[in-house]
Amino acid sequence: MADALTVDIVGPDRVLWSGTADRVVAPSVEGDLGFLANHEPVLSVLRPGTVRVHGEAGDTAVEISGGFVSFDHNVITIVAEPVELDNA
């Protein structure tokens, strides 16, 4: 995959998702942020919502309740609190 993004989505106690992607969309407090290869560096606070990772292996969605995203040199690191679903 040419110009692939390296993506790590981590929670406080585990890795939620890790791999490569063509693009990533994250819910920033200022609106959704879309990342493609060679994007300008970004550091932003995330609001509750869905992080969407799009890649050759398919699409992945991770529900978060907040956190932050860092993007630099085609590496995206998202530190987030995952949404825990009730098993009622």
Side-chain angles (χ1 to χ4, degrees):
M1 183 184 314
D3 286 324
L5 303 172
T6 300
V7 182
D8 291 308
I9 304 174
V10 297
D13 60 347
R14 67 186 187 278
V15 174
L16 304 172
W17 192 90
S18 184
T20 59
D22 297 322
R23 62 188 165 108
V24 174
V25 179
S28 163
V29 294
E30 297 176 345
D32 286 352
L33 293 174
F35 298 99
L36 298 171
N38 304 314
H39 193 285
E40 289 294 317
V42 171
L43 179 61
S44 184
V45 176
L46 298 177
R47 63 176 163 74
T50 304
V51 175
R52 291 182 175 80
V53 181
H54 306 277
E56 285 184 2
D59 296 344
T60 300
V62 178
E63 293 291 325
I64 63 167
S65 60
F68 73 88
V69 59
S70 169
F71 180 92
D72 195 21
H73 294 97
N74 291 339
V75 175
I76 299 174
T77 303
I78 296 175
V79 178
E81 189 70 38
V83 171
E84 298 296 334
L85 300 176
D86 292 332
N87 291 329

